[in-house]
Amino acid sequence: NKKYPGCDVDYPYIIGDGFCHGREYNTEVCGWDGGDCIDFNKKYPDCDVEYPSQIGDGRCDGREYNTEECGWDGGDCIDFNKKYPGCDVDYPYIIGDGFCHGREYN
């Protein structure tokens, strides 16, 4: 990407496409994904996730999304955390879906 010469990412053409991409795209050297992540970073300055668009999308995502830094997944996990305190799983949205998922979900 000519605009961000120090930005070494797999898909430079998605920088500045209107969609906030996480991790290596959401860095100073990549212009905070060509400006796409500026609003996200203002709201969640310490939230470092791969898919920022999942924050506040209406579905409770687990682990790194369900943290104080990420606003408990942009508020999506507040009810889940009240109902299942201490439950730290990758896919909290599958709990109570009528299927036995085993291991950490039991």
Side-chain angles (χ1 to χ4, degrees), residues 22-24 26 40 44-50 64 69-70:
R23 302 280 191 234
E24 65 271 14
N26 188 11
F40 175 83
Y44 306 106
D46 297 317
C47 180
D48 181 25
V49 292
E50 188 169 357
E64 64 196 11
E69 294 80 13
C70 295

Side-chain angles (χ1 to χ4, degrees), residues 40 43-44 52-59 61 65 70-77:
F40 175 83
K43 193 167 185 177
Y44 306 106
S53 63
Q54 290 182 325
I55 302 288
D57 66 352
R59 182 179 80 180
D61 298 292
Y65 296 87
C70 295
W72 312 113
D73 193 14
D76 294 341
C77 293

Side-chain angles (χ1 to χ4, degrees), residues 18-97:
F19 183 80
C20 177
H21 304 279
R23 302 280 191 234
E24 65 271 14
Y25 295 89
N26 188 11
T27 60
E28 186 174 6
V29 72
C30 291
W32 312 116
D33 193 18
D36 294 341
C37 294
I38 290 173
D39 290 339
F40 175 83
N41 292 339
K42 285 179 184 175
K43 193 167 185 177
Y44 306 106
D46 297 317
C47 180
D48 181 25
V49 292
E50 188 169 357
Y51 303 105
S53 63
Q54 290 182 325
I55 302 288
D57 66 352
R59 182 179 80 180
C60 176
D61 298 292
R63 305 283 187 212
E64 64 196 11
Y65 296 87
N66 188 10
T67 62
E68 186 174 0
E69 294 80 13
C70 295
W72 312 113
D73 193 14
D76 294 341
C77 293
I78 291 172
D79 290 339
F80 175 84
N81 292 338
K82 287 179 184 174
K83 191 171 182 179
Y84 304 104
C87 181
D88 184 26
V89 293
D90 288 323
Y91 309 106
Y93 54 87
I94 67 172
I95 292 178
D97 67 356

